[in-house]
Structure formats: C-alpha cells, structure tokens
C-alpha cells in the first residue's frame, strides 16, 4: 500500500481499535442506532459514475506505480479476517476527516478504488458481468464487490448423516429441526412429508401436494423454516424440476447468472453416491460465500412487526378487506405476497374450525409492477394456492393452475398518473366484480396492492379508496411518513372507521436488476409461457418469437377480426399509425358493448339491418349471430377512420383516443405486432393468450380492439434471435471440444473436420445475420472508447446496444 506518515499510522491504529470495540458490541446495539461502518452494507444501488468522472479517475490513476497495483491485488486475495485495512480506512475517513493527513490519504485511496474499478471492467474474467459506464440500469459487477461482503449467513442447519434421510442425483430428503432453516437457490418441487414448515409466508403442513418454488438470485432467497414436527423435526423432500424457465438465458442476458452455479459444499456432500458430474436444479447454501458466481445473496427474513401484522390480519378470516399502500420501494409487493400466502394456508386446527375453501381475491392496482400479469394492467384475481417465486415466474394465471384472472383492464402505462380518471373507473369496476364474486364465494377475503403513487393526485385516489371500498384494514408501509401523506390517510381511515396500521419499510438491500429490467424479464416470460392442461405447472419455450407461428388476423374485409386500433397517451396522425403499431406491444381488449366507446355516449343498443354480421376471423370460428356483436360492428364502422393502409383507427377530434369504458370492456392479454401485411390486410401477432379465451369472448358477441399504450419498447424481442444464435454456436463448440477430449475418431478425421468446419460456418453466418437487424447495434469489444461511443449513441431513439465481446453476459439498458 501507499506509505503513511507516523501520525496517520497512529490514527489508523486508534481507528482499528475502535472498530474492534464496535464490532464486539454490535449485537447489543439498539435498532435505532446507526450500524458501525465496518458492518454496514453498501446501498441498494451502487453509485454510478459519469464519463467525466471516469476520465478524471483514470487520469489520476496513471500516477500509481506498478508496485502499488500489485500490492492492491494481493490485498484483495486475503481472507476477511486477514485484511481489515479497508474497514479501518473507512472508519478512519468517516470519524477523523478533519485532519489534513487523513484527507490526503483518503484522496489517494479514492483514486486507487476508481482506477481499480476501471481495470476490473477492462480486464474481465469471462464468468463476470460488467456494467457499462453511463448505463442507467447496468448490472452489478462481482469484480467490484469487496470480499468481506460475500460471507453472509443463509442457513441455520448443516447437512450431515444425521439429518439426510436419502439423496440421489435429483432428490434430497432432509430433516429440519425447529427454529432452524435452510436456504436454497434455483428451482425445485417441495414435498412436506412430516411436520409443518414455513415458506414465503405460507405454513405448509404434511400432505401429498407438491409446491413449485422458484428462487433466483434476482430476489432475496426464500427460506424453508421448521415450525413444528414430530420429535421437534420436520421432514421435507426437495426434487429437481425443469420448467424451461432457465432456458430463457439463451434468449436474453437478463436471465443469465440468476440460477445455480457450480455444486456447493452441501451439494457435494449429498451427491457422493450419485453419478459423477451430477447437477440438480437447486443448490443448498450455508453462506453467500458458497456461491461460485460471487453474487449478492441474502435470505428474506420478515420484520417482527410484519409477522405480527400478518397474524392479526389473517384472524379476520373471510371478513378481511385490506389495502396495502406506501411509497416506492418500501416492500408493498413483498408484504402483499407474503400476506396472500399466509391467508391461503391456514392451520387446519384453526380455532372455530375455519378453513379457507373460497380462495383469496387479489386486487392488484399497480400497473408498473403487477404480480400476476405483465405491466400496464390492473386486475382482480382469485387464488386458491400459494405462489412461491418472483413475478416473472408467474406472469399469467390459468384457470387450472391454482388461480384465475377474474377481470383485467389495460391501462397502457407503468403509472396510473397518465390517466387518473380512467384508472379510477377501472378500480371501481374491479371492486364491483369483487362484490359479484362474493355472491359465489362469500368467505373470500380481499387483498389490495396499491402502487407507490402516493403523493399529490395519487394520495387523493388512495383516500377515496379508503372512504369508498368498505375496507376492514389499511396498512401503510413506512414509519418515516411523510406527514403530508400519513395525516390525510389517517383522516380518511377515521372517517371510514377503518384501523390504520403503520409498518416499517423493508427495502431490498442489493439489486442485480433494475425495475426496467425486471419488467422486461416479466413480459418476456409472459410471451414464452404456456399452461399445459395435463400438467400442474407452467412451461416455458426457449424458441425465439421470430421462429414461432404467429396468429394471423384480418383487419379489413369480410372476416375482419380486429375491428379497431386505439393509441393511448398521445395524439398520433392517422398516417403514422402503421409505424406506431408495427413492432409494438398492444393490449387485446374485448369490447362488450358500443357504450364502451366515447365514454358511454354511444347510441343505445339497436340492431342494424345494414350490417351483415359475418363476424370476424382470428383463424378461429368467429361466426356469431349475437345482435350485440352486430351492433358493435355497426357503431364502430361508423366511427372508424381508415388510414392509407386501411387500418381501422378509432380516434376522436385531433387524434386523441378516449379510453374504453371499463364497465363494458376488459383486457384478454397482451400481443406483439410482428408485421402488418398491407396487401392482404392482415396482422401477424405473437401472443400467449389461450385460444379458448378468445373463442369464449367471440361466442359472447364481443369485438376485439388493439390498444397501443406507453409500454416499454420490446427490445428484448428484437435481440432474441441474436442471443439464440450465439447460444447455439457456444453449445456446438462446447460439445465438439468435449468429443476431442474424450478421444479421436479413427480414420475419419478428415471428413469429421470438414463437417465441423461447415457446421461452424453456418452457425457463425446465423449470428452475423441475426446481428444485422434494425434498432440494434452490436458492440464487438468492451474498450473504454467503445463504451463512450455507445453511451453517446444511447441518446438516439429506438437504439438498442448489445455487448458481444467474448465472454460477455451483460446487456446495456434500452
């Protein structure tokens, strides 16, 4: 390290002694007290440096000697207990910053850290992920993670002969004692054989039911905890599964490095009798240091106040009507998810004999980060089984898989502030649907997840909901207020005679994916997901959307299937509708009545004799004699504007579309407009909406409308073919290299070599063609100059940058 003067060394020794004293008493420190600097964790999102800052740091870094760099690298390789200098220096700089000697020392250290960061980004191992300078939503870089932050306890149990019942290459059966837990990473099916365990808020009792669990590194890991059992032990079986979700890593770097890495110490201990090179779809981790990919892994432990509140709310049983609200990133979605699982899994011996047979209604009012649908929708769902995994593992629901969407509305934006009036109408309709649901399921509780739009007009909507929805409870997820939110919310709760519970926020400490990236993962998962009727779980396809069969729809002619196109949030000239629609994500909305248009000002329902009423065609039998369908077609035919391509454009006045009335329309799902064939008047759509949903809507006489909102551009779909081609080339090279290591091929070396060359040339040609597409630029290296050029290019519209240098697993933001 850089040589220090005498006074500075004395101060460093004093700071080190104070640090050791603080570390010894850290366990007894009150919660309100700030954590010692040595034990503190970095912020949830690392500070990102501008290009100017990088250039300054690099200029200063050039003054470092080669000896200093070598010493720095040696320090990084030391274990935690052998290298306390970094922690000492942090304490020193924070407590003795007024001294000139320390100020100069801190400046040198900051210069070293900045230069090391640049070196790490430019000298990257192929298994690491870098973030481009200037990226708004870049990945975390394990190379920049201090070693002392990696060793974080995850499990309170160690696997040995006494608690391992049996194990093989795909299954692990263990006993877990009370008050101990086990953290796993990956995908698995959980079977509780004896006792009771808790998982993500749910209490799972011994039964024959299997529970599918998804535990990626993008979120805090779910923990299996023993609640009770025979002789103080619970017995669970954990089995590998293959849903196809992990195969999406071949289509997007966002899905890479989120599942299991190499076998951990616990895995090796349970695979001794299994065949060599056995690998399960899950891994048992004792600490975060067990992870071979050096990721930020943390268990998800609930705050005690959260647990107490969930127990109190669940005691209301079928009378529960709770609204969960609070500022952004306060843990609303996590609390709602855990509360949902907790209510869906009551103890069989509950006092009074109450057993939840009607399910739980989940009203999700957050269009930016919905739980069971892709972004841009608000919906009412009825759930019968708990769900274990982040939203991108269940982006849609099917009637036969533990839950169903009762009704959904397409908002077309990530925030309700784009059109608060339409949002309020949608909420009112969903609440009316819940009241109708109660007629069939009278003991169905309700959980409402409100977005982080809690200030200004959002607060007005929230207080209106408290006064008008007939709630039993309101939960606010922040003890820090602010007072201008808490006071009006509390006043509304008192007027409605509803108790208001204020809980501490519990934000995520570390994030490896930004909100925009998580939305992209969820919507990509949505388009690749399917619900086989003969299976109890969902499956995902690894085929790029460009290689799947599209849904062909007529937008003009006698078999017109799409009766209109709407554009929300902006005024679009009809001449620009073709460019606006092609390649966009749209909502497929079923119009139940012509009154859904023009804010309910449409003429009353009456049959129109001039309309032939042929129905329309979505490659499905759409013959319908429903007079309501004929009336809708007649009305829309009179109010539609045909563009140059004969696209049916529904707009009013200067081009601003009036949203459809939620009381007489609902959203079936999302679709991607792949192409518009103007010669045959056909649209090619990619969608995961089950054909039975569309057929059912047609049989009821509904008309279908495409709604183009303000959703994120589907850049992930543009680059799928490129990433799939790269993955195919990589797999082929790995397979051929493995065959060469295994042994030669006899006298056919010449023919095999020629075949290998031809195959590799074809794969590389596929990569070349896939990289030459609009709106995507492939950057072949990761030099500082290329990063700066790409950062400047980022400002251009519709420009997508991909890093394709060897070993890269990172994706730039859109």
């Amino acid at each position: 390290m850089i040589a220090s003067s005498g006074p500075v060394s004395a101060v460093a020794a004093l700071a080190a002694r104070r640090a050791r004293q603080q570390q010894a008493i850290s366990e007894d420190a009150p919660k309100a007290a700030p954590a010692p600097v040595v034990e503190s964790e970095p912020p949830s999102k690392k500070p990102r440096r501008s290009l100017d800052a990088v250039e300054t740091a690099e200029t200063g870094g050039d003054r470092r000697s080669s000896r200093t760099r070598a010493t720095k690298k040696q320090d990084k390789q030391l274990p935690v207990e052998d290298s306390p200098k970094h922690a000492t220096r942090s304490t020193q700089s924070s407590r003795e910053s007024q001294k000139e000697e320390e100020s100069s020392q801190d400046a040198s250290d900051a210069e070293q850290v900045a230069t090391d960061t640049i070196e790490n980004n430019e000298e990257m191992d192929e298994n690491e992920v870098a973030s481009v300078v200037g990226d708004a939503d870049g990945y975390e870089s394990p190379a920049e993670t201090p070693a002392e932050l990696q060793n974080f306890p995850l499990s309170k149990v160690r696997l040995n002969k006494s608690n391992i019942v049996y194990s093989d290459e795909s299954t692990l059966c263990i006993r877990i004692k009370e008050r101990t837990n086990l953290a796993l990473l990956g995908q698995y099916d959980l079977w509780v054989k004896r006792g009771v365990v808790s998982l993500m808020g749910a209490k799972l009792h011994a039964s024959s039911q299997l529970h599918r669990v998804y535990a990626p590194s993008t979120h805090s890991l779910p923990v299996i905890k023993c609640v009770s059992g025979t002789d103080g032990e619970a017995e669970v079986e954990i089995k590998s599964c293959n849903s196809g979700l992990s195969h999406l890593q071949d289509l997007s770097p966002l899905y890479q490095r989120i599942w299991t890495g190499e076998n951990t110490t616990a895995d090796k201990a349970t695979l001794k009798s299994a065949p060599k090179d056995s690998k399960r779809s899950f891994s048992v981790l004792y600490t975060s240091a067990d992870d071979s990919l050096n990721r930020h892994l943390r268990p998800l432990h609930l705050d005690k106040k959260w647990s107490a509140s969930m127990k109190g709310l669940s005691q209301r049983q079928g009378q529960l009507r709770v609204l969960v609200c609070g500022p952004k990133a306060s843990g609303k979605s996590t609390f709602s998810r855990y509360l949902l699982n907790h209510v869906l899994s009551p103890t069989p011996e509950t006092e009074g004999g109450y057993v939840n047979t009607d399910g739980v209604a989940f009203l999700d009012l957050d269009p930016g980060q919905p739980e069971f649908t892709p972004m841009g929708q608000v919906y009412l769902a009825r759930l019968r089984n708990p769900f274990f995994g982040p939203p991108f593992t269940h982006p849609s629901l099917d009637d036969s898989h533990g839950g169903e969407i009762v009704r959904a509305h397409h908002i077309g934006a990530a925030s309700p502030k784009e059109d608060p009036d339409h949002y309020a109408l949608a909420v009112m309709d969903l609440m009316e649907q819940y009241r109708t649901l109660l007629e069939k399921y009278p003991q169905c509780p309700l959980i409402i997840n409100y977005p982080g739009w809690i200030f200004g007009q959002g607060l007005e909507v929230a207080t209106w909901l408290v006064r008008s929805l007939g709630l039993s409870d309101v939960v606010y997820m922040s003890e820090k207020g602010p007072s201008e939110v808490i006071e009006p919310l509390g006043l509304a709760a008192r007027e409605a005679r509803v108790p208001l519970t204020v809980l501490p926020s519990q934000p995520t400490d570390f994030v490896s994916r930004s909100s925009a990236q998580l939305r992209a993962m969820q919507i990509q998962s949505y388009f690749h997901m399917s619900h086989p009727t003969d299976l109890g779980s969902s499956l995902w396809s690894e085929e790029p959307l460009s290689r799947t069969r599209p849904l062909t729809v007529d937008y003009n002619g006698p078999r017109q299937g799409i009766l209109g196109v709407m554009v929300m949030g902006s005024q679009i000239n009809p001449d620009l509708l073709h460019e606006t629609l092609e390649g966009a994500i749209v909502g497929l909305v079923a119009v139940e009545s012509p009154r859904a248009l023009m804010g309910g000002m449409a003429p009353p329902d009456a049959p129109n004799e001039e309309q032939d009423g042929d129905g329309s065609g979505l490659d499905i039998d759409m013959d319908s004699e429903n007079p309501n369908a004929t009336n809708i077609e007649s009305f829309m035919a009179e109010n539609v504007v045909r563009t140059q391509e004969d696209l049916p454009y529904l707009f009013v006045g200067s081009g601003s579309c009036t949203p459809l009335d939620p009381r007489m329309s609902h959203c079936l799902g999302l679709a991607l407009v792949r192409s518009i064939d103007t010669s045959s008047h056909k649209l090619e759509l990619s969608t995961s909406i089950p054909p039975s949903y569309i057929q059912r809507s047609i049989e009821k006489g509904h008309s279908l409308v495409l709604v183009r909102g303000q959703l994120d551009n589907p850049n992930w779909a543009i680059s799928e073919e490129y990433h799939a081609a790269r993955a195919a080339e990589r797999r082929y090279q790995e397979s051929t290299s493995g065959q060469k290591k295994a042994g030669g091929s006899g006298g056919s070396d010449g023919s095999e070599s020629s075949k290998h060359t031809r195959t590799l040339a074809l794969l590389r040609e596929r990569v070349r063609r896939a990289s030459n597409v609009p709106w995507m630029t492939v950057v072949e290296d990761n030099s500082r100059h290329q990063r700066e050029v790409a950062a400047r290019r980022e400002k251009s519209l519709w420009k997508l940058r991909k890093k394709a240098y060897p070993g890269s697993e990172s994706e730039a933001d859109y």
Side-chain angles (χ1 to χ4, degrees):
M1 303 297 293
I2 298 178
S4 304
S5 60
V8 176
S9 300
V11 174
L14 177 60
R17 185 164 60 253
R18 290 181 178 178
R20 289 193 294 270
Q21 294 175 354
Q22 291 180 354
Q23 184 175 4
I25 63 173
S26 60
E27 297 181 356
D28 299 329
K31 295 182 178 180
V37 178
V38 179
E39 298 294 329
S40 64
E41 298 179 350
S44 60
K45 292 187 178 180
K46 299 190 307 254
R48 301 181 176 93
R49 295 163 288 121
S50 63
L51 294 176
D52 296 338
V54 173
E55 293 176 355
T56 304
E58 289 182 346
T59 304
D62 291 336
R63 294 193 297 267
R64 295 177 54 201
S65 64
S66 59
R67 178 179 177 276
T68 303
R69 294 181 181 178
T71 307
K72 185 72 175 179
K73 293 181 179 179
Q74 292 177 0
D75 290 341
K76 288 186 177 181
Q77 297 175 355
L78 293 176
V80 179
E81 57 271 18
D82 294 337
S83 58
K85 296 182 179 181
H86 299 291
T88 303
R89 187 176 295 109
S90 300
T91 308
Q92 172 185 343
S93 59
S94 61
R95 298 192 172 197
E96 307 290 335
S97 58
Q98 297 179 358
K99 298 186 178 182
E100 294 183 0
E101 295 87 354
E102 285 190 28
S103 299
S104 61
Q105 180 71 16
D106 291 339
S108 300
D109 292 339
E111 183 180 70
Q112 291 177 1
V113 172
T115 309
D116 286 341
T117 300
I118 296 167
E119 291 176 354
N120 286 330
N121 282 340
E122 294 181 351
E123 301 174 2
M124 239 187 208
D125 186 84
E126 65 180 5
N127 293 325
E128 293 177 349
V129 178
S131 92
V132 177
V133 177
D135 242 355
D137 292 313
Y139 294 131
E140 65 178 6
S141 174
E144 300 176 18
T145 305
E148 57 265 30
L149 296 179
Q150 294 296 327
N151 194 11
F152 195 90
L154 300 176
S155 302
K156 292 184 179 180
V157 61
R158 296 269 175 172
L159 299 184
N160 50 48
K161 294 182 179 179
S162 63
N163 53 24
I164 298 177
V165 182
Y166 55 84
S167 65
D168 55 31
E169 64 273 13
S170 63
T171 308
L172 174 63
C173 184
I174 59 176
R175 300 187 188 96
I176 306 177
K177 295 183 179 180
E178 292 183 6
R179 298 183 180 180
T180 60
N181 56 45
L182 192 68
L184 292 92
L185 174 70
Q187 310 174 42
Y188 54 93
D189 287 327
L190 179 67
W191 175 25
V192 182
K193 302 180 68 175
R194 290 193 300 116
V196 182
V197 300
S198 66
L199 178 66
M200 293 187 68
K203 287 187 178 181
L204 306 178
H205 295 255
S207 67
S208 60
Q209 183 177 3
L210 292 179
H211 304 277
R212 178 63 56 88
V213 182
Y214 300 95
S217 64
T218 54
H219 295 70
S220 299
L221 300 182
V223 176
I224 304 174
K225 182 178 181 180
C226 176
V227 178
S228 63
T230 306
D231 298 329
E233 289 183 339
E235 184 176 324
V236 298
E237 180 185 281
I238 307 166
K239 192 174 184 63
S240 292
C241 63
N242 184 16
S243 63
L245 182 58
S246 58
H247 296 161
L248 294 185
Q249 66 180 348
D250 292 341
L251 303 179
S252 172
L254 293 175
Y255 279 95
Q256 295 177 358
R257 297 172 55 91
I258 68 173
W259 302 110
T260 57
E262 299 178 359
N263 285 334
T264 64
T265 304
D267 295 336
K268 295 176 182 178
T270 59
L271 289 171
K272 290 182 178 179
S273 58
K276 190 178 180 181
D277 298 331
S278 295
K279 188 73 178 73
R280 302 190 184 107
S281 64
F282 62 90
S283 290
V284 179
L285 299 108
Y286 299 144
T287 68
S288 57
D290 293 339
D291 180 31
S292 61
L293 300 179
N294 296 326
R295 293 165 292 187
H296 285 303
L297 300 180
R298 296 293 184 269
L300 209 165
H301 293 302
L302 295 186
D303 187 276
K304 292 183 178 180
K305 294 183 179 180
W306 282 32
S307 300
S309 177
M310 289 181 186
K311 292 179 181 179
L313 292 172
S314 62
Q315 291 176 358
R316 298 189 183 276
Q317 302 176 356
Q319 304 302 316
L320 177 65
R321 314 280 190 273
V322 58
L323 171 68
V324 182
C325 59
K328 295 181 179 179
S330 59
K332 300 183 300 299
S333 299
T334 302
F335 182 85
S336 300
R337 187 182 308 126
Y338 271 63
L339 177 60
L340 174 66
N341 289 341
H342 189 74
V343 178
L344 279 171
S345 58
T347 306
E349 298 81 8
T350 303
E351 296 181 3
Y354 170 75
V355 179
N356 187 349
T357 58
D358 292 346
V360 176
F362 187 74
L363 179 56
D364 198 340
L365 304 181
D366 187 357
Q369 294 178 331
E371 184 73 25
F372 296 104
T373 64
M375 67 171 293
Q377 298 185 52
V378 293
Y379 61 92
L380 174 67
R382 189 179 76 90
L383 307 169
R384 300 183 295 274
N385 296 324
F387 285 79
F388 305 108
F392 68 80
T393 64
H394 45 253
S396 64
L397 294 178
D398 184 74
D399 296 350
S400 60
H401 290 77
E404 59 180 340
I405 299 293
V406 179
R407 192 174 179 87
H409 295 299
H410 187 65
I411 301 300
S415 174
K417 64 183 179 182
E418 302 297 335
D419 193 343
D421 295 335
H422 182 226
Y423 177 78
L425 289 175
V427 174
M428 293 174 62
D429 178 70
L430 294 177
M431 279 303 301
E432 187 61 31
Q433 293 295 324
Y434 172 69
R435 297 185 181 98
T436 304
L437 188 68
L438 285 178
E439 298 176 0
K440 186 176 182 181
Y441 304 101
Q443 294 297 319
C444 184
L446 175 66
I447 299 174
I448 306 175
N449 180 36
Y450 191 73
W453 185 47
I454 199 65
F455 297 96
Q457 196 169 11
L459 179 60
E460 297 179 5
V461 176
T463 54
W464 168 73
L465 292 176
V466 173
R467 292 188 177 98
S468 60
L469 295 186
L471 304 174
S472 66
D473 295 271
V474 176
V475 176
Y476 185 75
M477 303 297 299
S478 177
E479 292 182 336
K480 297 181 179 180
S483 58
E484 56 266 25
V485 173
I486 289 291
E487 292 177 359
L489 199 63
L491 178 61
R494 286 193 297 271
E495 293 178 357
R497 297 182 180 181
V498 179
L500 172 64
T501 303
V502 179
L503 297 178
S505 61
Q506 192 172 342
T508 304
D509 293 332
F510 298 95
V511 292
S512 60
R513 302 292 186 271
S514 66
S515 298
Q517 289 172 336
L518 289 175
R519 289 197 301 267
M521 294 175 69
Q522 187 169 0
I523 198 168
Q524 187 174 19
S525 172
Y526 171 81
F527 277 96
H528 288 271
M529 186 180 186
S530 62
H531 301 279
T533 55
D534 55 342
L535 294 178
S537 57
S538 304
L539 295 179
W540 282 264
S541 170
E542 68 274 16
E543 285 292 324
L545 290 185
S546 59
R547 292 177 175 262
T548 59
R549 183 179 179 181
L551 186 68
T552 304
V553 189
D554 292 296
Y555 64 83
N556 196 10
R559 288 181 55 84
Q560 182 176 342
I562 298 298
L563 299 186
V565 178
M566 304 182 70
V567 179
M568 308 304 301
S570 59
Q571 297 182 1
I572 300 296
N573 189 285
D575 296 336
L576 301 177
L577 183 61
H578 181 277
E579 289 76 10
T580 304
L581 192 62
E582 193 170 27
I585 298 291
V586 296
L588 186 60
V589 179
V591 180
E592 304 163 5
S593 168
R595 292 182 180 274
L597 298 164
M598 305 291 293
M601 298 178 61
D605 293 349
N608 191 330
E609 298 178 358
E610 297 179 359
Q611 181 71 19
D612 54 10
D614 289 336
S616 50
L618 281 157
D619 287 350
I620 304 174
D621 185 11
M622 298 184 64
D623 293 336
S624 175
E625 297 181 356
N626 191 310
N628 189 42
T630 304
N631 194 17
I632 294 176
E633 295 173 6
S634 175
F635 174 78
M636 297 181 70
E638 297 175 358
N639 292 272
V640 73
V641 173
R642 291 287 175 178
T643 65
Q644 295 178 356
E645 300 84 3
D646 286 331
L647 287 169
Y649 188 21
L650 289 168
F651 77 105
V652 181
S654 59
S656 58
C657 292
T658 303
L660 296 171
D661 192 332
R663 295 171 296 179
M664 288 157 282
S665 64
H666 65 277
C667 183
L668 298 176
L670 298 184
L672 172 64
V673 182
R674 291 173 51 166
S675 66
I676 303 176
D677 190 344
T678 57
S679 60
S680 61
H681 294 168
K682 292 183 181 294
L683 295 172
E684 285 190 355
L685 305 177
S686 291
T687 182
S688 62
I689 304 174
S692 59
Y693 285 16
I694 302 176
Q695 184 68 39
R696 189 187 314 161
S697 180
I698 294 168
E699 292 174 353
K700 293 180 180 179
H702 301 163
S703 297
L704 302 181
V705 174
L706 298 182
V707 180
R708 168 71 157 93
Q710 303 180 52
L711 304 183
D712 296 338
N713 295 325
N715 298 323
W716 52 267
I718 299 172
S719 60
E720 277 188 350
E721 176 61 27
Y722 170 76
H723 291 297
R726 286 292 302 272
E729 179 189 5
R730 182 176 64 253
R731 284 195 300 267
Y732 178 75
Q733 290 181 337
E734 291 174 352
S735 63
T736 53
S737 62
Q739 293 176 0
K740 291 180 181 179
K741 293 181 180 179
S745 55
S748 60
D749 286 346
S751 61
E752 289 295 332
S753 177
S754 176
K755 181 180 178 181
H756 169 70
T757 303
R758 289 195 303 270
T759 304
L760 190 59
L762 291 175
L763 291 174
R764 289 177 175 172
E765 175 62 19
R766 178 188 173 186
V767 173
R768 188 195 65 80
R769 291 197 309 266
S771 62
N772 187 22
V773 296
W775 305 309
M776 185 179 79
T777 300
V778 177
V779 180
E780 295 295 344
D781 60 14
N782 191 34
S783 63
R784 182 171 64 89
H785 173 71
Q786 288 292 343
R787 292 202 303 271
E788 293 177 354
V789 172
R792 289 192 293 268
R793 191 186 298 117
E794 194 179 45
K795 298 179 181 179
S796 61
L797 185 62
W798 280 95
K799 188 64 66 175
L800 177 64
R801 185 173 75 257
K802 301 290 177 185
K803 294 184 291 185
Y805 54 89
S808 171
E809 294 181 344
S810 181
E811 178 182 34
D813 190 30
Y814 317 122

